[in-house]
Amino acid sequence: MLVSSSFAVRGLGVVCGFAMHVILSRTLGAEGAGLFYLGLTVMMAGAAIGKFGLDTALMRFGGSAYKLGNLSEVRGLYRQACLIALFMALAVTALLLPASAWLSDTVFGNSELRPVMMWLALAIAPFSLIWIQSGVLKAVDRAVAATWVESAMLPLLMALFAIALAYLGLLTPERAAISYLAVTALVCLAGSWIFQRGAGAQGPRHLRSWRHLLSAAFPLALIDGMNFLMAWAIIPILGSVAAETEVGVYNAAHRLTMQLSIVLVVFGGIMAPRFAALYDKGDRAGLEALAARTTALMSAVALPAGIVFFAWPGMVAFIFGEEFAAGGQILQVLALGQLFNLLSGPAGYVLVMSGHQRSMRNILLFTLLITLPLIAMLAKSHGGVGAAWAVSGGLVLQNSLALWAVYRRLGIIGLPGLRRLRTQLKQDIA
């Protein structure tokens, strides 16, 4: 019931977010949409720094504390995380605002990007806090509420803003950025209210050592940053070597295939505190069984959509407009990478929730050192299609290494087929 409810809410967010992307792309065109999404990607990078891995730390420590009935520790962790995230986000905003002109004119070569980037820079702080709120709601088993805050409310409200502006003929990249700032602030306030009123947030707080929380969050922040680079660095890289039209076309295909990764986010967010609790109890068999079941469910949910994306790439032009027709091949390549990502299961979540975040950090660092130069090289020579091959290759490498690390560190196999094969071999040997 919990998973189905989370998927229903997440599905609403997907539909609304998809509607927003279609409206922006059809109204602004590939170039205008490219400007908006360049600014949005820079903002999301700032928010990834702002949250500093604290949402994952809250799932790790807050989830364990909640399972033990220690709500005062959960409250204290939430308060500390909010203060740290707010400080980090405001610092990033203070740096980005004066740098917007240089980034727009020199790096991306388009002065029209400047106001878009400046408005979106102001959204870094509320966007960072949204992730903190989502993390603590997952920790206290409020997965559905977390999904509303993390994935549904923002695209729902933004879709309504986009529809209204498009209907009035007022939709521009800058107005889209202003709308995104307003919506982000509203969702941040709503997320705070949901936790304060509905998740047992009232009462005494037990504060951990600030150093303890920061030392745990730092490697997680590195992991989050590298995950972000793996998923989104392609947008600014492509923007620096190609026209905004190319960015808009790639972005359309990229955001379609990113819907597949939502399956991993939903299952990972729900199961992450459970992975942590099983590991803390020393139940390796239970942890392996849960990881294998999660992989099987994720594969069953995502495989049909992935096949559709690969078999009918022309849907990019059909949905977003003929200007985006070149995104069909990009869609096929990115779909392959995302399918491998999902069929590999929640290996990254298992590593982080079992305290092996440094192993995951090293895997991501190694993958990035190979993938980012490859993206830049192939984007320059083959445009969006070349960049898509680099991104998908990076996903295959990252997940293969994560699966090996889970087996090496924990001795468990999260892939149902390999797990059954190992069990059968043990029986045959016995």
Side-chain angles (χ1 to χ4, degrees):
M1 178 64 72
L2 185 62
V3 173
S4 60
S5 298
S6 293
F7 263 113
V9 177
R10 176 75 70 164
L12 174 63
V14 169
V15 171
C16 293
F18 191 68
M20 179 192 78
H21 301 321
V22 172
I23 293 165
L24 290 175
S25 298
R26 284 188 169 272
T27 306
L28 301 177
E31 182 177 357
L35 285 172
F36 173 76
Y37 286 114
L38 272 174
L40 185 63
T41 303
V42 173
M43 184 280 290
M44 291 171 63
I49 297 171
K51 70 187 181 77
F52 200 65
L54 292 161
D55 56 330
T56 310
L58 280 172
M59 285 193 284
R60 172 81 175 94
F61 297 121
S64 295
Y66 181 74
K67 296 296 183 187
L68 297 173
N70 193 351
L71 281 176
S72 62
E73 184 168 340
V74 176
R75 299 182 194 108
L77 285 167
Y78 172 66
R79 180 177 180 273
Q80 288 175 308
C82 284
L83 290 174
I84 296 169
L86 189 59
F87 173 80
M88 295 291 293
L90 290 176
V92 174
T93 302
L95 292 173
L96 183 57
L97 281 173
S100 297
W102 175 77
L103 288 171
S104 303
D105 299 344
T106 305
V107 177
F108 299 114
N110 193 327
S111 60
E112 293 181 21
L113 179 61
R114 189 185 308 176
V116 175
M117 194 173 293
M118 292 183 70
W119 283 112
L120 288 173
L122 298 175
I124 290 174
F127 199 87
S128 300
L129 291 177
I130 287 171
W131 283 103
I132 301 299
Q133 292 153 3
S134 173
V136 76
L137 287 169
K138 290 174 185 175
V140 297
D141 281 344
R142 295 290 303 275
V144 177
T147 306
W148 270 107
V149 172
E150 178 185 61
S151 307
M153 281 194 281
L154 196 153
L156 172 61
L157 293 173
M158 188 60 195
L160 293 175
F161 270 75
I163 291 171
L165 289 172
Y167 178 77
L168 296 171
L170 300 174
L171 188 58
T172 64
E174 183 177 359
R175 291 193 178 108
I178 295 171
S179 299
Y180 203 91
L181 168 61
V183 167
T184 304
L186 289 173
V187 174
C188 179
L189 292 173
S192 177
W193 182 84
I194 290 171
F195 179 67
Q196 296 294 331
R197 299 297 179 185
Q202 301 300 319
R205 301 184 184 96
H206 171 69
L207 298 180
R208 284 190 177 217
S209 163
W210 289 86
R211 183 178 179 182
H212 175 80
L213 182 59
L214 285 169
S215 63
F218 182 69
L220 296 173
L222 293 177
I223 291 172
D224 283 347
M226 288 185 282
N227 272 323
F228 178 86
L229 288 173
M230 279 295 297
W232 297 104
I234 175 58
I235 301 296
I237 290 175
L238 195 60
S240 65
V241 300
E244 282 72 23
T245 301
E246 184 84 8
V247 176
V249 170
Y250 181 93
N251 179 77
H254 182 69
R255 289 186 178 273
L256 268 176
T257 55
M258 284 300 290
Q259 307 311 314
L260 293 175
S261 67
I262 286 173
V263 177
L264 177 60
V265 173
V266 171
F267 277 97
I270 293 171
M271 301 302 178
R274 301 179 189 184
F275 291 149
L278 288 169
Y279 178 78
D280 289 342
K281 289 193 296 186
D283 187 359
R284 299 292 179 91
L287 179 58
E288 181 179 63
L290 181 60
R293 288 198 304 272
T294 303
T295 302
L297 288 170
M298 285 166 48
S299 301
V301 171
L303 195 57
I307 292 173
V308 170
F309 287 161
F310 187 79
W312 290 281
M315 68 173 60
V316 178
F318 175 76
I319 294 171
F320 292 94
E322 287 300 323
E323 194 177 2
F324 294 85
Q329 190 176 354
I330 297 173
L331 179 67
Q332 288 181 309
V333 176
L334 291 176
L336 287 175
Q338 285 297 337
L339 280 174
F340 189 89
N341 184 31
L342 289 162
L343 294 174
S344 302
Y349 282 95
V350 173
L351 281 174
V352 172
M353 291 298 111
S354 61
H356 294 91
Q357 57 265 28
R358 287 180 174 80
S359 294
M360 193 64 204
R361 176 200 63 194
N362 294 338
I363 289 169
L364 286 168
L365 180 59
F366 177 75
T367 305
L368 279 173
L369 289 175
I370 294 175
T371 305
L372 289 182
L374 192 61
I375 290 174
M377 181 176 66
L378 293 180
K380 190 171 183 178
S381 59
H382 295 88
V385 175
W389 276 113
V391 169
S392 291
L395 282 175
V396 172
L397 176 62
Q398 173 189 323
N399 284 283
S400 298
L401 293 173
L403 286 170
W404 170 246
V406 168
Y407 179 72
R408 183 184 176 191
R409 297 290 185 184
L410 302 172
I412 68 175
I413 298 176
L415 300 180
L418 290 179
R419 185 168 175 259
R420 285 194 296 269
L421 178 62
R422 184 189 62 178
T423 301
Q424 185 63 47
L425 287 173
K426 285 183 177 180
Q427 292 174 349
D428 292 342
I429 293 172

